[in-house]
Amino acid sequence: MAKVALYRIREVDGQDDEISDALADLHRLTFFGGAPIPRFDWGYWWLAYREATPVAFAGVVPSTHVRSAGYICRVGVLKPHCGRSLQLRLMRTMELRALRNGWNCMVSDTTQNIASANNFIRAGYRLYQPRYPWAYQDTLYWRKFIGSASSLHGTHPKRL
């Protein structure tokens, strides 16, 4: 019988030097210099482990563009572990944190990343056009309302 790879996801303290180093290493190995290393001392961060080895990471911060929203600022999965739903699991984990924070929406963006765009679709995100786009000309913007409909009171989609 084939051995199934088991992964566990843990919220981590990005202010801890060892954790910050692990997050930075994973960032370099998954983004290859295509994006600046974020501040790990801001927001909420997770590591996905295969046994004791970190193989994926994710971070969400309060959105500076959409009120009462979390912004998925990073999700990175090492190549050998792609295709095992880790990005989707990390996205769901960030949504749970957002709900605990009282946020009613999640937003993010992708630029020339078909695999991530497909995962946003699988996770129930929809494309949208923000009033003030914050990234590149060819960036796709993603949004998902979370929580109950009553939590959206006063947050009309056109105002986002």
Side-chain angles (χ1 to χ4, degrees):
M1 184 163 78
K3 185 176 180 181
V4 176
L6 298 178
Y7 297 93
R8 53 186 177 85
I9 296 172
R10 298 288 179 254
E11 188 169 349
V12 295
D13 179 0
Q15 295 183 45
D16 177 279
D17 288 340
E18 190 174 315
I19 296 295
S20 181
D21 289 346
L23 290 166
D25 287 345
L26 283 168
H27 189 278
R28 281 188 283 279
L29 292 168
T30 56
F31 285 88
F32 307 108
I37 293 179
R39 288 182 43 201
F40 298 121
D41 62 345
W42 185 46
Y44 304 88
W45 295 92
W46 291 264
L47 286 171
Y49 295 88
R50 170 75 166 84
E51 296 176 359
T53 305
V55 298
F57 77 107
V60 64
V61 298
S63 174
T64 58
H65 299 280
V66 178
R67 67 185 159 95
S68 190
Y71 171 68
I72 297 174
C73 61
R74 292 291 188 276
V75 179
V77 179
L78 293 176
K79 249 323 176 216
H81 302 275
C82 288
R84 294 186 171 95
S85 299
L86 282 173
Q87 184 176 7
L88 286 169
R89 288 180 58 195
L90 287 162
M91 291 166 79
R92 287 187 194 116
T93 300
M94 289 185 280
E95 290 169 12
L96 290 173
R97 163 52 68 193
L99 285 169
R100 286 196 302 271
N101 289 356
W103 298 336
N104 58 33
C105 182
M106 296 290 285
V107 295
S108 194
D109 55 78
T110 57
T111 305
Q112 299 179 1
N113 188 333
I114 292 171
S116 286
N118 281 328
N119 278 325
F120 275 105
I121 293 166
R122 282 185 195 100
Y125 287 74
R126 302 289 303 248
L127 285 170
Y128 86 109
Q129 182 63 49
R131 182 180 293 183
Y132 303 104
W134 58 80
Y136 304 103
Q137 184 84 22
D138 59 343
T139 293
L140 300 175
Y141 295 93
W142 302 95
R143 176 176 63 194
K144 181 178 182 179
F145 293 105
I146 56 176
S148 67
S150 63
S151 72
L152 300 178
H153 179 69
T155 306
H156 192 276
K158 289 184 181 175
R159 288 191 224 143
L160 298 176

